[in-house]
Amino acid sequence: QVHVVESGGGSVQDGGSLRLSCAVFGYDVSSVCMAWFRQAPGKEREGVAAIVSVGNTRYADSVKGRFTISEDNAKNNLYLQMNSLKAEDTAIYYCAAYAPVGTLACGVLGRTLYKYWGQGTQVTVSS
C-alpha cells in the first residue's frame, strides 16, 4: 500500500514561486509511477506533471517551461517546483501514484490509473 502526503502549498503573488513536496510511504518512489495533479474550483482534476523515467518527464502544455517535477530517491520524495505562477494556477494540488502495469510506461497525465492520492495542498496565486 502506497501512502503519499503533500506539503508546501501557500499563497503567492503573480510571478512568484512555490515548491511542493510529496513524501512517499510504503514503496520506493523509483518503483511507482508518480505525478502531480491539480483541481481548481468548478473544474475537473487535471494532470500537471509526471515522471516518465529517470531524467524523462511530461508536462501539461499550460505549465511547460514554468513547472519542474523531480524525485529524490534518497528521501523518497517527489517535488514540483513552480515558477512564474499565474492566477490560473490557483488550485488544490495532489500527489498521486500507481504501481506500474505490465509494460505500460509511467508518465501518464490522465487520472484513471492513479490509485493512491494525497489529501492535497492549496496553492493560491493573486494578481
Side-chain angles (χ1 to χ4, degrees):
Q1 182 90 5
V2 180
H3 183 55
V4 297
V5 180
E6 307 96 337
S7 61
S11 297
V12 294
Q13 298 235 323
D14 189 75
S17 297
L18 279 174
R19 187 193 194 206
L20 305 183
S21 298
C22 173
V24 181
F25 303 94
Y27 266 79
D28 288 339
V29 67
S30 60
S31 65
V32 291
C33 297
M34 304 284 313
W36 287 96
F37 287 75
R38 68 184 180 186
Q39 188 166 17
K43 294 190 176 181
E44 294 285 319
R45 192 170 299 188
E46 63 173 352
V48 173
I51 299 287
V52 178
S53 61
V54 175
N56 190 5
T57 53
R58 180 171 289 134
Y59 298 93
D61 288 343
S62 58
V63 306
K64 278 181 184 175
R66 300 187 298 122
F67 290 12
T68 303
I69 188 172
S70 62
E71 57 187 15
D72 184 331
N73 292 339
K75 295 183 178 180
N76 223 38
N77 281 359
L78 182 74
Y79 302 101
L80 185 67
Q81 178 65 44
M82 305 184 294
N83 298 328
S84 302
L85 282 161
K86 307 174 183 180
E88 51 263 43
D89 295 318
T90 295
I92 298 174
Y93 284 72
Y94 298 90
C95 175
Y98 69 93
V101 178
T103 59
L104 181 66
C106 292
V108 176
L109 288 179
R111 60 178 295 185
T112 305
L113 289 175
Y114 290 88
K115 182 177 179 181
Y116 306 104
W117 294 84
Q119 80 287 351
T121 185
Q122 177 71 47
V123 171
T124 303
V125 185
S126 57
S127 55

